[in-house]
Amino acid sequence: MVETKDASAPAAAPYSYEGLDRVIHEKARLGVLTSLATHPKGLAFADLRKLCGLTDGNLSRHLQVLEEAGLVRLDKGFEGKRPLTTCRMTGEGRRRFVEYLAVLERVVRDAAGATGAADEEREPADAEDAKGRLRPKLA
């Protein structure tokens, strides 16, 4: 059973980001889910592999983790005489992915707010140093 956390952070730990689901947060799985989210009818295994830049074995393993977590469904069939595996995001997968993105957006807003505060604390361009020489603004 995959443990999911509430997307709202406790007031005592506003930067804990409990809603960052570890199953989704891994780089390759995030790429797989993003690809599937943009292709609601699903993708053939080979197309998904190309979009995500993964090997067959690596993609298979990540799909297995996502399938066990209930985030994706794999449909195996044939196209003519050739085997065809189609990967689709489940309804539960889409819901959890949207929740994950909301927490990720909060991370970006928090970081942007911190960056804005840091910009305000910087010295103006061409400030003078202790000896009265002009210093160029860094960063």
Side-chain angles (χ1 to χ4, degrees), residues 70-73 88-98:
L71 303 177
V72 300
R73 184 180 82 228
R88 290 182 174 80
M89 189 181 287
T90 64
E92 172 72 6
R94 192 166 301 282
R95 182 190 65 74
R96 283 181 48 192
F97 186 65
V98 168

Side-chain angles (χ1 to χ4, degrees), residues 81-138:
K81 293 185 178 188
R82 298 178 60 130
L84 176 67
T85 300
T86 303
C87 310
R88 290 182 174 80
M89 189 181 287
T90 64
E92 172 72 6
R94 192 166 301 282
R95 182 190 65 74
R96 283 181 48 192
F97 186 65
V98 168
E99 287 175 0
Y100 172 86
L101 291 178
V103 176
L104 203 53
E105 286 175 343
R106 202 175 95 231
V107 171
V108 171
R109 280 193 311 272
D110 290 349
T115 302
D119 287 344
E120 292 171 8
E121 293 174 8
R122 287 192 184 140
E123 295 180 32
D126 301 327
E128 291 183 4
D129 65 12
K131 294 183 180 181
R133 296 177 296 208
L134 289 179
R135 276 183 298 162
K137 181 178 180 181
L138 300 176

Side-chain angles (χ1 to χ4, degrees), residues 3 10 15 18-19 25 38 45 59 78 117 139:
E3 182 180 329
Y15 300 114
E18 292 296 323
H25 198 66
T38 60
F45 182 93
L59 178 56
F78 288 89

Side-chain angles (χ1 to χ4, degrees), residues 53-92:
L54 299 170
T55 64
D56 284 354
N58 201 269
L59 178 56
S60 290
R61 178 64 185 127
H62 287 297
L63 285 172
Q64 180 183 8
V65 170
L66 292 168
E67 187 177 35
E68 288 171 358
L71 303 177
V72 300
R73 184 180 82 228
L74 304 178
D75 297 319
K76 297 183 184 258
F78 288 89
E79 188 174 85
K81 293 185 178 188
R82 298 178 60 130
L84 176 67
T85 300
T86 303
C87 310
R88 290 182 174 80
M89 189 181 287
T90 64
E92 172 72 6

